Amino acid sequence: MEHATKKHTDKKNAILASALALFVSQGFHATSTASIAKAAGVATGTLFHHFPSKDSIINHLFLNIKQEFADTIISNSQVTGDIELDANTLWQNAIDWAISQPLKQKFFLQFSLSAEINTATRQQAMTGILRFIVELIEKGQQQNIVAHYPIDLLLENCHGQYLAAIRFFTDHPELGQDTSHRHASFQLFWKAIKA
């Protein structure tokens, strides 16, 4: 039974890895389910056993990568209780993750704001997987450190600021380790949300 479960997981992961590479290189609409199955080394029927549609693949992929992103930046952070310091630590860890995961970051840059990621998936990522950011913002608002704007609007702003910074560092990889640019990217973000 354990062997069958591992084989099932391996095929599912192969489908997701192939979809990631193809979506980034060809785009969503130019990528067929047959090409994903072929790249994954599985039959098309096997792909549909795991995912009922190409839309379900991209939304599942988005949540998987978002969860990996969240797990990584949290595991590399120590909460101090200082809202700005904790936000900066998360921000810098998020930049580190993006630099270390260029294909996954390109996927986010291409698809985070696209219609292919449905509203329910986007909501699950923002308020479920990234719940720790919501909690940091709420705590910052309680302490009058973060502006008292609606949380959902602040989350979208944070997301947009992050994508802009990562686009910059993706386009200028030599600056990804430059302390002054990284500090400036956080300051731009922080000034947009602080009270």
Side-chain angles (χ1 to χ4, degrees):
M1 182 71 170
E2 187 177 310
H3 178 69
T5 303
K6 183 181 179 340
K7 195 172 182 180
H8 177 84
T9 302
D10 289 347
K11 286 182 180 182
K12 186 174 182 179
N13 288 339
I15 292 166
L16 291 171
S18 297
L20 171 63
L22 291 169
F23 289 155
V24 169
S25 67
Q26 299 178 178
F28 178 77
H29 295 290
T31 301
S32 67
T33 52
S35 66
I36 295 169
K38 183 177 180 183
V42 301
T44 304
T46 301
L47 180 142
F48 287 118
H49 171 74
H50 292 282
F51 303 99
S53 67
K54 189 167 66 166
D55 288 333
S56 69
I57 295 171
I58 197 167
N59 282 280
H60 191 91
L61 186 59
F62 182 81
L63 290 175
N64 274 11
I65 296 171
K66 193 65 85 170
Q67 186 66 59
E68 177 188 324
F69 166 78
D71 291 346
T72 301
I73 67 171
I74 289 172
S75 69
N76 293 328
S77 301
Q78 287 190 336
V79 177
T80 66
D82 179 318
I83 302 297
E84 183 176 357
L85 180 61
D86 290 347
N88 186 38
T89 300
L90 290 170
W91 183 266
Q92 299 303 330
N93 289 343
I95 291 173
D96 288 340
W97 181 87
I99 290 168
S100 71
Q101 300 291 332
L103 185 63
K104 292 174 181 175
Q105 190 53 56
K106 284 180 184 174
F107 175 81
F108 278 154
L109 287 169
Q110 283 178 256
F111 296 105
S112 284
L113 302 176
S114 73
E116 284 76 29
I117 306 301
N118 67 45
T119 303
T121 297
R122 204 180 317 276
Q123 186 71 22
Q124 183 179 346
M126 291 300 248
T127 59
I129 294 171
L130 299 176
R131 179 76 193 148
F132 62 94
I133 295 173
V134 174
E135 291 166 359
L136 186 70
I137 289 170
E138 288 173 341
K139 188 175 178 184
Q141 287 180 330
Q142 290 166 2
Q143 295 177 15
N144 291 317
I145 294 168
V146 172
H148 289 274
Y149 299 127
I151 294 286
D152 53 349
L153 186 58
L154 275 170
L155 282 173
E156 287 298 330
N157 181 70
C158 292
H159 185 237
Q161 291 274 22
Y162 172 73
L163 290 175
I166 291 311
R167 169 62 70 196
F168 178 82
F169 290 123
T170 300
D171 291 346
H172 305 282
E174 71 282 5
L175 298 175
Q177 298 304 322
D178 179 72
T179 307
S180 64
H181 279 80
R182 287 179 63 135
H183 177 72
S185 74
F186 174 72
Q187 287 304 310
L188 287 166
F189 159 75
W190 186 247
K191 286 178 182 179
I193 70 164
K194 75 176 186 173

